[in-house]
Amino acid sequence: MGEGIYPEFQAIVNYGIVGLIQLELGYAETEDMDAAKAMEYYDKYAQEALELMLRKNHDYDEAWRSMRVSSYTDLILMKLNRTKQIEGHDGQTLISEGIDANYLDMINYSVFGLIKLAEAQHDTQN
């Protein structure tokens, strides 16, 4: 699974978490924390994304399982576009969720894609 979309979904998870950390702490021009502190923040936002995913999964009765992996990509691209629009308005929204919610959704769509790809890989090996 070293090539293709799998590592791209992994990267979106990581960049989404880094984005959430940066939203909380702000942009830094220099190194401003050690690796242990960075992992503490990473774990905090990974846990937040997991908890959101579990709540939504319960509410939507695992609807994501019936979707194609390409649908997750489309949803991520829509969330990315929406995030750019919000940033263009200095983070202000009238009725929609903020940048953080979009990052969390992109993380979770990526996790769904990773699960589906891993399951497909497992099925082809058996």
Side-chain angles (χ1 to χ4, degrees):
M1 287 193 218
E3 295 180 21
I5 195 166
Y6 196 90
E8 303 302 330
F9 280 137
Q10 289 176 316
I12 293 168
V13 170
N14 289 324
Y15 285 124
I17 291 172
V18 168
L20 289 166
I21 294 167
Q22 198 170 44
L23 279 175
E24 179 178 337
L25 301 178
Y27 177 77
E29 300 237 358
T30 61
E31 189 174 309
D32 61 347
M33 73 177 75
D34 62 20
K37 189 69 172 173
M39 286 306 302
E40 184 179 314
Y41 277 105
Y42 188 95
D43 291 344
K44 171 187 170 184
Y45 285 109
Q47 184 64 36
E48 185 177 326
L50 174 62
E51 289 170 7
L52 175 65
M53 181 175 59
L54 293 173
R55 283 193 310 272
K56 284 188 173 186
N57 193 38
H58 179 265
D59 291 346
Y60 296 116
D61 197 29
E62 293 199 334
W64 64 273
R65 288 199 177 273
S66 64
M67 296 171 64
R68 287 186 253 163
V69 172
S70 62
S71 296
Y72 305 128
T73 304
D74 293 341
L75 289 166
I76 291 166
L77 290 171
M78 287 181 356
K79 290 291 181 177
L80 185 59
N81 186 48
R82 181 64 187 133
T83 300
K84 289 169 67 175
Q85 290 173 341
I86 295 169
E87 288 174 340
H89 292 99
D90 296 320
Q92 302 301 310
T93 62
L94 294 176
I95 56 173
S96 69
E97 297 175 311
I99 293 172
D100 58 337
N102 285 288
Y103 282 149
L104 288 165
D105 285 344
M106 287 186 271
I107 292 166
N108 286 330
Y109 293 141
S110 296
V111 170
F112 293 153
L114 290 166
I115 292 168
K116 293 278 287 201
L117 290 169
E119 288 176 347
Q121 178 74 18
H122 181 264
D123 289 347
T124 59
Q125 290 176 348
N126 290 334

